[in-house]
Amino acid sequence: MSEVSVTDAAAAAAAPPDALVVLNSVNKHFGALHVLQDIDLTIARGEVVVVIGPSGSGKSTLCRTINRLETTDSGSITIDGRPLPQEGKELARLRADVGMVFQSFNLFAHKTVLENVTLGQVKVRRTDRKAAEKKARDLLDRVGVGAQAEKYPAQLSGGQQQRVAIARALAMEPKLMLFDEPTSALDPEMINEVLEVMQQLARDGMTMVVVTHEMGFARSAANRVVFMADGRIVEEARPDQFFSNPRSDRAKDFLSKIL
Ligand code: ADP
Ligand code: MG
């Protein structure tokens, strides 16, 4: 066996071998508002992390810093051992590696569903159009909207649009998927069809960060719950532990309001 140097050991301790995303003392301000405060978070490959917390606690900002829709003031973020790129082609590739699904569906309104799921593959991944369309159709089938491929987003229900948005992100073969309240804008009867797609993705081993108020999803799909308040990670626990026995007063107070 080879000797492990102190420096290697320190680096390995800082980022376990199965770590996909590592945030180290990340800070972010919006003017005087300290929106992310010394965030340390390591996400393992295949892990599903559900982020919950009161409105304004910094959950969306956290997601947005991970795919560099927001810059940070200090600290480091690495994905697959590499620091986030700052600009250019590298940044476009990062955005493809980190799929993001927002509360609002953000599809291209003037492109068909098929084109929505094909475009990024051709432009960013340089996939041949025919292969990209084949893959788009497979993914649309997988999320249950294969029959809608030739329609425009506005002709689809919210739940269908959100499933297209998931297919579009998956088409880039991301290493990580970020979901920021993906069901919050949906009519109640459409929430489950989106959560089921996410559940399946989790079962298939996708690494996921999910901001959601859907506690049923958190209980059944999350490996870990991260509770944020006022820009800090206040508590982290397995879902069963978090829901049955929250440790912090902030988490107790939050759960008493939503459960
Ligand atoms: P959450 O998603 O947990 O509701 P956000 O990350 O959206 O929280 O916001 C955290 C805080 O940062 C809030 O007080 C919000 O008003 C503020 N904020 C978010 N985005 C901006 C921005 N672009 N400029 C200034 N303040 C912002
Ligand atoms: Mg938010």
Side-chain angles (χ1 to χ4, degrees), residues 118-131:
T118 304
L119 208 62
Q121 298 183 64
V122 174
K123 295 223 156 158
V124 179
R125 293 296 194 209
R126 303 274 168 223
T127 309
D128 148 86
R129 174 162 286 273
K130 230 175 156 183

Side-chain angles (χ1 to χ4, degrees), residues 94-121:
L94 169 84
R95 298 255 167 80
D97 281 347
V98 181
M100 182 139 177
V101 176
F102 302 86
Q103 180 173 336
S104 52
F105 322 125
N106 293 85
L107 296 173
F108 305 119
H110 302 291
K111 308 245 180 243
T112 64
V113 162
L114 182 67
E115 191 61 15
N116 263 279
V117 185
T118 304
L119 208 62
Q121 298 183 64

Side-chain angles (χ1 to χ4, degrees), residues 4-16:
V4 177
S5 76
V6 174
T7 353
D8 286 346

Side-chain angles (χ1 to χ4, degrees), residues 54-61 64 103 180-181 211 213:
S55 176
S57 55
K59 307 180 298 293
S60 293
T61 306
R64 292 166 59 81
Q103 180 173 336
D180 190 2
E181 299 199 26
V211 180
H213 301 298

Side-chain angles (χ1 to χ4, degrees), residues 15-82:
D18 67 341
L20 179 63
V21 185
V22 181
L23 285 83
N24 202 336
S25 289
V26 169
N27 283 280
K28 163 91 185 158
H29 295 77
F30 285 121
L33 181 68
H34 197 171
V35 60
L36 296 179
Q37 303 189 29
D38 291 320
I39 299 290
D40 289 317
L41 181 64
T42 298
I43 299 162
R45 262 172 243 282
E47 193 179 16
V48 177
V49 174
V50 164
V51 180
I52 66 174
S55 176
S57 55
K59 307 180 298 293
S60 293
T61 306
L62 177 70
C63 284
R64 292 166 59 81
T65 60
I66 294 176
N67 72 350
R68 220 183 166 283
L69 287 171
E70 297 284 359
T71 57
T72 52
D73 299 333
S74 65
S76 70
I77 303 177
T78 59
I79 295 183
D80 233 352
R82 289 163 43 183

